[in-house]
Amino acid sequence: VVPLQHLYVPQDHRTCHEFNFPVILSGHDHHQVDEVVNGTRLLKPGLDAKYATVLELSWDDPAHAGPPHVSAEFVRVADWPADEALSL
């Protein structure tokens, strides 16, 4: 399970402490956040959709037992070409 939240950092931290998620994707705050809280990676790309989070979860075990490796980066949305099929 990867929660998708729209909370302030203190509420995100509470989720990190109360649950055992490998990563939380969140928003609401206007600054970027990439930190580990109580073993959970908290990622917030910032305001106005200027950045997006590219997330990769991988496991050493083919059965996906145990926690995944979490790799993430923030990328500028403007650097990606628009999908013409989605344009109006």
Side-chain angles (χ1 to χ4, degrees):
V1 173
V2 175
L4 179 60
Q5 304 188 147
H6 190 253
L7 302 171
Y8 289 114
V9 170
Q11 288 88 14
D12 287 320
H13 284 179
R14 181 176 177 183
T15 304
C16 292
H17 285 286
E18 292 185 4
F19 298 93
N20 184 23
F21 297 119
V23 64
I24 294 173
L25 301 175
S26 192
H28 200 86
D29 293 288
H30 292 186
H31 60 282
Q32 290 183 341
V33 175
D34 183 351
E35 63 183 3
V36 177
V37 178
N38 196 41
T40 297
R41 181 111 175 246
L42 174 60
L43 298 164
K44 300 169 82 90
L47 78 157
D48 294 338
K50 292 179 182 176
Y51 288 87
T53 304
V54 175
L55 175 67
E56 181 179 340
L57 301 176
S58 61
W59 288 262
D60 292 329
D61 180 350
H64 299 145
H69 297 283
V70 177
S71 173
E73 66 177 316
F74 298 130
V75 297
R76 285 177 24 96
V77 172
D79 292 343
W80 293 76
D83 185 335
E84 291 184 25
L86 298 176
S87 65
L88 299 175

